């Protein structure tokens, strides 16, 4: 019974490990066009609990951070806000790189972005 219990614990940690890959500091490239020079901002994932996470992006605290690890990629979404607008962000983690999209209805824009882990 002890071996079986140990195997179950190992299986549980394997199931949740994709979430932990998101924790850390990321450098996000928010360039407005593919030809533009890089425009970099920090994205920090501080903690993860079940399917929620906390952190900061572009100097703002994340709100309503959610993770979905039921697919072939780790998907995430969250919102941030400044003094005038709410920004909605979503993306996924693939091969230790982030791919995302930001949407701000009030400013009428969408912006794709990519991110790499900071060392």
């Amino acid at each position: 019974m002890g071996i079986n219990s140990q195997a179950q614990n190992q299986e549980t940690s394997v199931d949740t490990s994709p979430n932990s890959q998101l924790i850390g500091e990321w450098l996000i490239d928010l360039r407005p066009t593919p030809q533009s020079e890089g425009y970099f901002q920090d994205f920090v994932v501080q903690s993860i609990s079940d399917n929620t996470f906390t952190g900061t992006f572009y100097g703002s605290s994340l709100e309503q951070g959610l993770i979905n690890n039921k697919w072939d990629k780790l998907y995430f979404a969250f919102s941030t806000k400044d003094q005038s607008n709410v920004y909605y962000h979503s993306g996924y983690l693939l091969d230790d790189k982030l791919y995302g999209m930001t949407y701000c209805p009030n400013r009428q824009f969408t912006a794709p972005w990519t991110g790499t882990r900071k060392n």
Side-chain angles (χ1 to χ4, degrees):
M1 187 164 166
I3 294 173
N4 218 7
S5 174
Q6 194 175 32
Q8 287 176 346
N9 287 341
Q10 287 175 348
E11 184 177 327
T12 299
S13 65
V14 169
D15 288 345
T16 60
S17 65
N19 290 356
S20 66
Q21 295 174 22
L22 191 59
I23 291 178
E25 296 182 28
W26 299 85
L27 190 60
I28 305 300
D29 186 351
L30 297 165
R31 67 183 70 205
T33 69
Q35 298 78 24
S36 300
E37 288 188 34
Y39 176 63
F40 299 98
Q41 292 292 324
D42 290 334
F43 173 45
V44 179
V45 177
Q46 296 166 330
S47 66
I48 295 175
S49 177
D50 296 323
N51 71 328
T52 66
F53 67 101
T54 64
T56 60
F57 181 53
Y58 208 103
S60 297
S61 294
L62 306 183
E63 297 183 9
Q64 303 169 338
L66 296 171
I67 295 173
N68 182 333
N69 65 6
K70 306 296 185 208
W71 297 84
D72 60 339
K73 301 174 189 78
L74 177 67
Y75 289 91
F76 58 89
F78 59 93
S79 63
T80 57
K81 60 184 173 185
D82 60 20
Q83 294 179 3
S84 306
N85 297 293
V86 175
Y87 299 84
Y88 301 95
H89 316 274
S90 64
Y92 61 90
L93 173 64
L94 179 63
D95 297 329
D96 209 32
K97 188 169 182 176
L98 298 179
Y99 300 86
M101 176 70 72
T102 295
Y103 165 61
C104 182
N106 288 345
R107 292 183 55 195
Q108 298 183 347
F109 88 98
T110 59
W113 47 263
T114 58
T116 54
R117 190 176 297 280
K118 290 177 79 172
N119 292 332

